[in-house]
Amino acid sequence: MKDYIKHDEWSIIEEGFIPAYNRISESIFSIGNGRFGQRANFEEQYSGDTLPGNYLAGIYYPDKTRVGWWKNGYPEYFAKVLNATEWIGIDVSFDGEVLDLAKCEVEDFRRELNMKEGYLERSFVARMESGRRVKVHAKRFCSIVQDEVGALRYSITPLDFSGTLSLTPYVNADVINEDANYDEKFWVEVDKKVKRRQGYVLAETKKTQFQACTGMKFSIHQGGKEIDFNAYRLQKEKYVGCTVDLPCEEGQETVVYKYASNVTSMNHDKGELMDLCKQHVKSAFKQGFDALLAEQAQAWKNKWEEADIHIEGDVAAQQGIRFNIFQLYQTYTGEDERLNIGPKGFTGEKYGGSTYWDTEAYCFPFYLATADQHVARNLLVYRYKHLQKAIENAEKLGFTDGAALYPMVTMNGEESHNEWEITFEEIHRNGAIAYAIYDYIRYTGEKEYLSEYGLEVLIAIARFWAQRVHFSERNGQYMMHGVTGPNEYENNINNNWYTNYIARWCLSFAMEAIEYVEQNAPDRYKAIEEQIKFYKHTETKQWKAIIEQLYLPKDEELGIFVQHDGFLDKELLTVDDLRPEDRPLNQNWSWDRILRSVFIKQADVLQGLYFFEDHFDDGTIRRNFDYYEPRTVHESSLSPCVHAILAAKLGREEKAYEMYLRTARLDLDDYNNDTEDGCHTTSMAGTWMAFVKGFGGMRTYNDRLAFRPFITKNWKSYSFKVRYRGSYIEVRVGGGKTQIINHSEQEVPMVLYGEEQTLPANGQLEAAFPTH
């Protein structure tokens, strides 16, 4: 855990340059707009430790799989989001001496991510090797209004000398991915153009043949006025730039305004990319930096008015939740059903930028309650459009008759993860896909989704589970062997409780969906039945038998669900038995030692109790929480939020706050020593869940929105807003009471502290905190 980020309600602030933390800061201070994103790399050259990153939504490369021992069923590639053309670069030198902070004494360094208005700002004074001192101030943003445009302002002032300043704004597609399996470069040049103050590079990815054009246009100001200049044009492979030499006087500020655009063949015809990029760049140049920034600030103001969470009395908690919400909105807008949310968003290469089950289990509830309904729907449609690929994935593993196994990792629906214990065994991911459909219908009331898209997915998933289990003659029950649950510190186990439970639930929910569509959309049902060759009587008969006889491990004496067969035979230590130097285990222990230990990477049994809490009484949840929470090391970013929600439900205020703060500040404080690889974007939605479902107690029961808020002693008050079935609802908690305010024209049936009520249109409800 690190503590170098200054606490502030609306900004992420770093004061003082610590080179050893630079990669962490590059992740934390990343900016994006849902269409592209940029790590917080420096504009000027930097020869120190850095991970360059400009990422374009949907653009990937199928990097050939590299494993020591090939196994049948392995995917042939690992899909990777690509580091794309560098658009922020400006080389700076004085009389031939290059400005490079790795070779300077750095003073007054300050970096700020302004979340309120959506920009990154950096300033410093550098003493160069010659002894010369220069002051730099830079500001940049990725426009969320014009989502193919970025802009930056870069000012430089010599403090104690005069001389010749050389500036080289450029765009550079000769970039690498640090995680490339074979040290391969993934971009080839198609075309490039450079003029006096403009430059464009059109590049294409190998194999996938995506094209992207990145361009720039810049102006230079001195003495507060734009100046004319002559530029030396630079061209080399996949690179264009313009070098400008200027006289600079001591104390005189020189400002470069650089406007850039990234356009791709994901969204436009290849033949028009160069011209379109030029249009965007010229339009941004004409509009000007200040106008673009004002437009950006207004757009972010509108977002915050709808989705802000306000906490009074705890700056660390406030900063954490706003940072998480900010990064989520920078990553995914929901306007393009072809896109999804990678675990690192636009902040790093790790995990390939691909889609995981994280989306359905953690991100989906956030977008469901904070954005227009079509945003969450598009996440479901994304999986529907990959259904045929999911069926093909299952076929590669020997499944038949339309059974579908959704991939653990994907860009296009095809499995691209190549660790056998994950690819073949972490099959609970199928359950998360089905659960998201259920969650959507429960929250929105749009049951019609089942007939349009949902039923086909649910039947294909049910077919998979029906083939994946086997009947044990010796025990007289169905079982599931050779799996990995959410706790990835256990592999190739038998009868993981969570996997078995969600498989059984999937079969039950599929049958409910079948009945609904058959009764309410008979023509559509008939068409589906014929299309997928579904034999209702035969198939559902088997499903019912599995539901009734599927083994769910339980220990009657302890009154808990057993994570998997043999779990209770381990050495039953708790986290308190670990030495501080052991943590995190995945960086200090051998994998063999981890697998043999009792320690849990992330919520496993507790993940099931969170999903299906209405299936269990509080006593059951409490006993399992008390058993598994002390053995969980939370070395997955996805773990603390589930524990926070369950702790809140059980009235464990201090544990709920501890887990909330851990998930909210996971990256800001680098809890797991891995933020340098990128922020944990998908777990950031878990932070929102921990707050709204934990402290706010928000649930949906029987077509009613329910709240049971409480407030931790660390806070004076808090408030949040959600959308629900066309209504816009605000929750305010503090002063011993809860207020629910309806900012819409329709009344809302709801439950407040267990009591059914009606929230009037444009009205409010108020209730004192329960005394018990």
Side-chain angles (χ1 to χ4, degrees), residues 523-714:
D523 291 343
R524 174 62 178 154
Y525 175 78
K526 187 68 174 176
I528 293 172
E529 190 177 47
E530 293 176 359
Q531 177 187 336
I532 67 174
K533 296 181 173 58
F534 177 60
Y535 303 103
K536 177 184 174 184
H537 177 74
T538 304
E539 296 192 53
T540 58
K541 182 180 179 180
Q542 183 196 14
W543 299 356
K544 290 174 184 176
I546 296 169
I547 291 168
E548 293 170 2
Q549 300 176 70
L550 184 61
Y551 172 60
L552 296 168
K554 182 178 181 180
D555 186 276
E556 297 293 346
E557 183 178 344
L558 294 172
I560 64 168
F561 303 122
V562 181
Q563 184 168 287
H564 59 80
D565 289 352
F567 183 83
L568 296 182
D569 296 325
K570 290 174 174 280
E571 185 179 10
L572 298 174
L573 304 174
T574 68
V575 173
D576 288 341
D577 295 313
L578 292 168
R579 302 172 304 167
E581 56 265 33
D582 289 327
R583 308 288 300 277
L585 301 184
N586 59 20
Q587 296 175 24
N588 293 289
W589 281 14
S590 69
W591 194 242
D592 167 74
R593 188 178 181 188
I594 289 174
L595 292 176
R596 289 186 286 108
S597 80
V598 74
F599 298 113
I600 300 167
K601 180 184 180 186
Q602 69 186 82
D604 197 302
V605 169
L606 298 187
Q607 180 74 36
L609 296 181
Y610 155 65
F611 267 173
F612 303 110
E613 67 170 35
D614 54 327
H615 295 189
F616 308 103
D617 60 41
D618 285 357
T620 299
I621 296 173
R622 183 175 295 107
R623 287 190 300 275
N624 281 277
F625 185 87
D626 288 345
Y627 191 83
Y628 289 109
E629 203 287 324
R631 294 176 168 86
T632 304
V633 291
H634 301 294
E635 289 177 10
S636 165
S637 62
L638 303 174
S639 186
C641 64
V642 171
H643 286 243
I645 294 167
L646 293 178
K649 176 180 174 60
L650 296 172
R652 309 285 176 80
E653 178 184 314
E654 290 186 7
K655 177 58 71 172
Y657 178 75
E658 174 196 342
M659 290 292 100
Y660 163 75
L661 204 61
R662 178 165 182 149
T663 186
R665 299 193 62 83
L666 182 78
D667 290 310
L668 293 178
D669 295 336
D670 193 23
Y671 267 89
N672 291 340
N673 292 322
D674 59 0
T675 302
E676 64 183 26
D677 300 323
C679 293
H680 298 80
T681 306
T682 49
S683 79
M684 291 175 171
T687 303
W688 179 91
M689 284 167 39
F691 192 98
V692 173
K693 294 189 175 188
F695 299 110
M698 189 179 86
R699 305 288 192 274
T700 310
Y701 300 123
N702 302 320
D703 291 321
R704 285 180 179 268
L705 192 61
F707 294 98
R708 186 180 289 273
F710 76 95
I711 191 164
T712 170
K713 64 184 179 182
N714 304 83

Side-chain angles (χ1 to χ4, degrees), residues 215-256:
M216 67 163 186
K217 186 174 183 179
F218 66 96
S219 63
I220 299 176
H221 294 236
Q222 283 186 332
K225 296 181 180 180
E226 184 174 357
I227 63 171
D228 197 12
F229 54 83
N230 293 316
Y232 178 72
R233 303 171 195 176
L234 303 173
Q235 295 190 66
K236 53 186 176 181
E237 185 182 8
K238 295 181 279 190
Y239 173 101
V240 295
C242 300
T243 296
V244 181
D245 293 329
L246 300 168
C248 62
E249 302 296 327
E250 178 179 333
Q252 181 185 50
E253 180 186 47
T254 301
V255 181
V256 179

Side-chain angles (χ1 to χ4, degrees), residues 292-328:
L292 287 167
L293 185 60
E295 182 181 80
Q296 175 88 341
Q298 183 60 50
W300 273 106
K301 180 182 178 183
N302 295 341
K303 282 187 177 291
W304 287 118
E305 285 176 353
E306 289 195 355
D308 186 27
I309 290 178
H310 179 254
I311 301 171
E312 183 185 8
D314 189 342
V315 177
Q318 177 68 86
Q319 182 184 46
I321 190 65
R322 282 186 174 141
F323 176 67
N324 284 257
I325 293 171
F326 180 76
Q327 289 292 354
L328 286 164

Side-chain angles (χ1 to χ4, degrees), residues 36 87 141-143 146 148-152 258-262 284:
F36 71 98
W87 63 273
F141 59 93
C142 301
S143 173
Q146 303 176 48
E148 293 173 321
V149 168
L152 66 85
K258 184 178 180 183
Y259 306 89
S261 177
N262 291 295

Side-chain angles (χ1 to χ4, degrees), residues 139-390:
K139 182 185 289 189
R140 70 177 186 242
F141 59 93
C142 301
S143 173
I144 62 171
V145 179
Q146 303 176 48
D147 64 8
E148 293 173 321
V149 168
L152 66 85
R153 179 189 188 276
Y154 190 91
S155 82
I156 185 162
T157 305
L159 296 180
D160 54 7
F161 67 94
S162 300
T164 299
L165 167 63
S166 293
L167 297 167
T168 306
Y170 62 87
V171 292
N172 177 28
D174 191 21
V175 295
I176 62 169
N177 266 54
E178 190 174 77
D179 66 352
N181 284 343
Y182 297 91
D183 299 324
E184 182 180 9
K185 290 185 176 180
F186 301 133
W187 293 95
V188 295
E189 181 184 304
V190 176
D191 194 7
K192 62 177 179 278
K193 297 185 184 302
V194 61
K195 297 183 178 179
R196 185 168 66 97
R197 59 174 66 186
Q198 300 176 54
Y200 305 88
V201 175
L202 177 62
E204 182 175 88
T205 60
K206 298 176 182 178
K207 295 185 180 178
T208 45
Q209 297 182 318
F210 291 110
Q211 287 192 1
C213 187
T214 300
M216 67 163 186
K217 186 174 183 179
F218 66 96
S219 63
I220 299 176
H221 294 236
Q222 283 186 332
K225 296 181 180 180
E226 184 174 357
I227 63 171
D228 197 12
F229 54 83
N230 293 316
Y232 178 72
R233 303 171 195 176
L234 303 173
Q235 295 190 66
K236 53 186 176 181
E237 185 182 8
K238 295 181 279 190
Y239 173 101
V240 295
C242 300
T243 296
V244 181
D245 293 329
L246 300 168
C248 62
E249 302 296 327
E250 178 179 333
Q252 181 185 50
E253 180 186 47
T254 301
V255 181
V256 179
Y257 290 97
K258 184 178 180 183
Y259 306 89
S261 177
N262 291 295
V263 294
T264 77
S265 58
M266 277 284 292
N267 309 301
H268 309 285
D269 292 337
K270 291 181 179 180
E272 65 180 21
L273 291 179
M274 181 74 80
D275 288 341
L276 192 60
C277 188
K278 289 178 181 179
Q279 291 174 26
H280 286 339
V281 166
K282 291 177 180 178
S283 176
F285 184 90
K286 182 177 180 181
Q287 189 171 351
F289 186 85
D290 291 341
L292 287 167
L293 185 60
E295 182 181 80
Q296 175 88 341
Q298 183 60 50
W300 273 106
K301 180 182 178 183
N302 295 341
K303 282 187 177 291
W304 287 118
E305 285 176 353
E306 289 195 355
D308 186 27
I309 290 178
H310 179 254
I311 301 171
E312 183 185 8
D314 189 342
V315 177
Q318 177 68 86
Q319 182 184 46
I321 190 65
R322 282 186 174 141
F323 176 67
N324 284 257
I325 293 171
F326 180 76
Q327 289 292 354
L328 286 164
Y329 275 131
Q330 287 198 131
T331 301
Y332 181 75
T333 65
E335 299 305 320
D336 189 337
E337 64 187 29
R338 299 169 301 169
L339 301 179
N340 209 282
I341 306 131
K344 296 292 185 182
F346 292 124
T347 70
E349 300 173 7
K350 193 171 182 182
Y351 303 121
S354 300
T355 303
Y356 286 64
W357 70 289
D358 305 20
T359 291
E360 285 75 22
Y362 302 94
C363 298
F364 190 77
F366 169 78
Y367 292 104
L368 186 60
T370 63
D372 188 78
Q373 187 170 317
H374 79 278
V375 173
R377 200 176 199 271
N378 276 347
L379 288 172
L380 298 182
V381 172
Y382 174 91
R383 292 294 194 178
Y384 172 78
K385 292 193 171 182
H386 287 176
L387 176 57
Q388 186 54 45
K389 288 286 189 182

Side-chain angles (χ1 to χ4, degrees), residues 119-139:
Y119 63 81
L120 172 63
E121 194 166 26
R122 180 173 60 104
S123 59
F124 61 86
V125 172
R127 183 183 298 275
M128 302 171 71
E129 290 180 297
S130 63
R132 293 172 165 183
R133 295 173 69 246
V134 297
K135 181 173 70 173
V136 170
H137 182 267
K139 182 185 289 189

